[in-house]
Amino acid sequence: MKRFAAILIILIIFGAIAFGVGYAPLRLQEGTVAVLYTKTSGWDPEPLQAGVFDWRWELLVPTNARIYYFPDAPRQARLETSALLPSAELYEQFLEGSPSLRQELTLDIQYRPLPENFTTLAPRGIGGDNLESWLVSIDKELTGSALVFAATALEELLEEEDLLVPAPAVARKVAGKLQARFPDLEIQSVVVESLNLPDPQLYRLARDTYRRVQQTREESLQEAIRAAARDREAADHRVETLQQFGRVFSEYPVLLEYLEITARTGQNPLNLELPLKNASLPGQER
């Protein structure tokens, strides 16, 4: 009986040791995610997460497994811009007194890479020392996309609002579009810290004035092109007429003498009233 109890205790101890060695969350610190690579199974498609029950027999085999760690914490990207409304600086030149259409936006994006995303990064050699540069590139992609989405949202809201554009509405639109654009990230929040915009009515007036001026210029340019085409056509017609006269004079040199007599005497004995190219000259019919 004592022997059985001793064997049972030993088995329990070995079982506890085996469980502890194979229990992946014990190898993780809070705020981290890991990707498992084993010689027996290759890259594991599921990430190891702290607090989630996950036992792996591959960890029992010495030198079989290697674990790559990634931070699992929120990250912030900040956007500061004064170029939101399209061509605002150009439009303001078309308003009397050149009022300012200055715009400024500052917003913070808090996001978190989804743990599943790291299972694709580790096989590509992203992790450890070069992980921060990858995260910085994500920051830039987020802020670049946020700038485009914010500009679009402001244009839409300026068409609807006559007074002030609500900052929360801009934040909601940007957050929704960022989440759709980056499905591998969890967009936790988008906060507009400051938003300064021109009077919506003034911006619309400047934009519409600019468009009317451009339309007038385009119409004037098209009319100038048509006039130039008409002048060219008239010039071509004159050249063609002169060429026809040249051919007639070459074929009937006596006409030159006739024109000289007509110019000198002021008389037109043959009473030629039609253009030479349509006149029936002596000897022309064959």
Side-chain angles (χ1 to χ4, degrees):
M1 185 67 180
K2 292 182 180 180
R3 184 178 178 182
F4 174 77
I7 293 175
L8 182 60
I9 292 173
I10 292 173
L11 290 177
I12 292 174
I13 292 174
F14 274 107
I17 294 173
F19 177 81
V21 172
Y23 188 60
L26 292 177
R27 299 171 181 262
L28 301 177
Q29 296 180 352
E30 187 175 355
T32 62
V33 175
V35 177
L36 178 65
Y37 174 80
T38 62
K39 297 177 181 178
T40 53
S41 303
W43 291 100
D44 197 297
E46 297 295 329
L48 307 177
Q49 301 181 61
V52 178
F53 181 85
D54 197 348
W55 190 85
R56 304 298 179 92
W57 66 266
E58 294 94 338
L59 296 175
L60 300 177
V61 182
T63 71
N64 179 53
R66 187 170 182 179
I67 299 178
Y68 297 83
Y69 296 93
F70 296 88
D72 184 24
R75 186 178 176 89
Q76 272 198 346
R78 188 176 183 86
L79 170 65
E80 296 179 350
T81 181
S82 59
L84 286 165
L85 301 177
S87 305
E89 294 182 357
L90 176 63
Y91 294 162
E92 66 185 15
Q93 301 176 23
F94 291 83
L95 293 176
E96 186 176 354
S98 298
S100 175
L101 295 179
R102 181 180 178 85
Q103 352 86 80
E104 292 181 342
L105 171 68
T106 302
L107 62 80
D108 286 325
I109 307 166
Q110 182 169 295
Y111 72 97
R112 166 179 167 265
L114 295 177
E116 294 79 8
N117 194 31
F118 294 124
T119 61
T120 63
L121 296 180
R124 289 157 46 196
I126 299 176
D129 295 339
N130 61 3
L131 177 62
E132 181 61 24
S133 61
W134 178 82
L135 291 172
V136 169
S137 70
I138 295 297
D139 293 346
K140 293 180 180 179
E141 286 189 50
L142 274 173
T143 53
S145 297
L147 175 59
V148 175
F149 296 149
T152 303
L154 286 173
E155 276 197 281
E156 296 172 353
L157 291 169
L158 282 174
E159 294 299 327
E160 303 168 1
E161 302 290 336
D162 289 331
L163 297 175
L164 297 177
V165 174
V170 177
R172 285 194 301 270
K173 286 178 175 288
V174 172
K177 291 183 178 181
L178 283 178
Q179 188 61 79
R181 170 67 177 80
F182 298 93
D184 291 337
L185 304 177
E186 177 190 353
I187 307 299
Q188 297 179 331
S189 67
V190 174
V191 178
V192 176
E193 286 197 0
S194 64
L195 176 62
N196 297 316
L197 294 174
D199 181 348
Q201 294 182 352
L202 191 63
Y203 175 75
R204 289 196 290 265
L205 174 62
R207 181 193 59 191
D208 295 342
T209 301
Y210 171 80
R211 290 176 178 175
R212 286 195 297 270
V213 170
Q214 291 302 110
Q215 183 178 1
T216 302
R217 288 177 177 173
E218 183 177 352
E219 291 173 355
S220 299
L221 179 60
Q222 291 178 353
E223 179 58 32
I225 293 174
R226 287 193 291 267
R230 289 193 296 268
D231 293 343
R232 178 62 182 272
E233 184 179 358
D236 291 344
H237 179 70
R238 287 194 294 271
V239 170
E240 182 182 357
T241 301
L242 292 174
Q243 289 175 342
Q244 291 176 350
F245 276 116
R247 287 193 295 270
V248 170
F249 291 147
S250 297
E251 189 172 353
Y252 304 101
V254 69
L255 287 177
L256 291 174
E257 298 178 8
Y258 178 81
L259 292 176
E260 182 180 357
I261 295 172
T262 301
R264 186 172 62 250
T265 63
Q267 298 179 356
N268 187 5
L270 298 180
N271 196 25
L272 296 178
E273 297 179 356
L274 297 175
L276 290 177
K277 65 177 181 179
N278 295 327
S280 177
L281 300 175
Q284 189 171 4
E285 296 178 0
R286 298 178 181 179

